[in-house]
């Protein structure tokens, strides 16, 4: 059972990496992308690498039955995932608000 959970954990990292790459590709198709958004996406790569490193250490902790360390590592992995999720949500909200902003022609008063 432990190996199944670990396999799913590593699969989720691969899925997250794919989502990050897809977001990066999608942003390249936009005319204007704020530099901060690009930097934030790059930080996701760093966070994902840290999660993978923690997952390897998690496997070692499980093998050693060091449950305190297992709990700590799981909490760190989950916290890093929450950071990415919350930041990505904020980026999407900002970009959707930006694209929904009325143009000058839409706000021009003809009367």
């Amino acid at each position: 059972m432990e190996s199944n959970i670990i396999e799913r954990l590593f699969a989720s990292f691969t899925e997250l990496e794919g989502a990050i790459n897809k977001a990066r590709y999608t942003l390249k198709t936009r005319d204007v992308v704020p530099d901060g958004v690009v930097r934030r996406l790059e930080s996701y790569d760093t966070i994902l690498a840290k999660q993978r490193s923690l997952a390897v250490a998690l496997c070692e902790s499980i093998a050693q039955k060091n449950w305190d360390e297992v709990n700590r590592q799981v909490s760190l992995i989950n916290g890093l995932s929450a950071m990415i999720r919350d930041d990505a949500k904020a980026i999407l909200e900002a970009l959707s608000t930006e694209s929904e902003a009325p143009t000058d022609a839409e706000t021009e008063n003809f009367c």
Side-chain angles (χ1 to χ4, degrees):
M1 180 169 151
E2 289 172 1
S3 66
N4 187 28
I5 293 170
I6 297 298
E7 288 172 11
R8 288 188 359 225
L9 178 62
F10 279 98
S12 73
F13 296 151
T14 301
E15 186 177 321
L16 178 57
E17 183 175 40
I20 293 167
N21 289 333
K22 184 176 180 180
R24 190 175 283 122
Y25 175 79
T26 301
L27 288 174
K28 285 182 182 179
T29 64
R30 293 185 62 128
D31 293 332
V32 179
V33 178
D35 288 337
V37 171
V38 174
R39 282 192 304 274
R40 286 160 77 177
L41 271 178
E42 290 169 358
S43 74
Y44 296 171
D45 294 327
T46 304
I47 293 169
L48 184 57
K50 181 63 178 172
Q51 285 182 302
R52 284 188 166 128
S53 174
L54 283 165
V56 170
L58 174 65
C59 292
E60 295 169 8
S61 297
I62 290 171
Q64 296 170 359
K65 300 184 190 285
N66 185 347
W67 305 122
D68 288 337
E69 191 63 13
V70 167
N71 287 329
R72 186 184 80 78
Q73 290 160 333
V74 167
S75 293
L76 289 170
I77 291 168
N78 287 338
L80 291 170
S81 292
M83 283 175 49
I84 291 175
R85 182 190 64 241
D86 293 347
D87 191 60
K89 185 177 176 183
I91 288 172
L92 290 174
E93 287 174 359
L95 290 175
S96 69
T97 302
E98 185 178 291
S99 66
E100 293 172 3
T103 64
D104 289 338
E106 293 172 329
T107 59
E108 189 171 322
N109 187 353
F110 292 105
C111 296

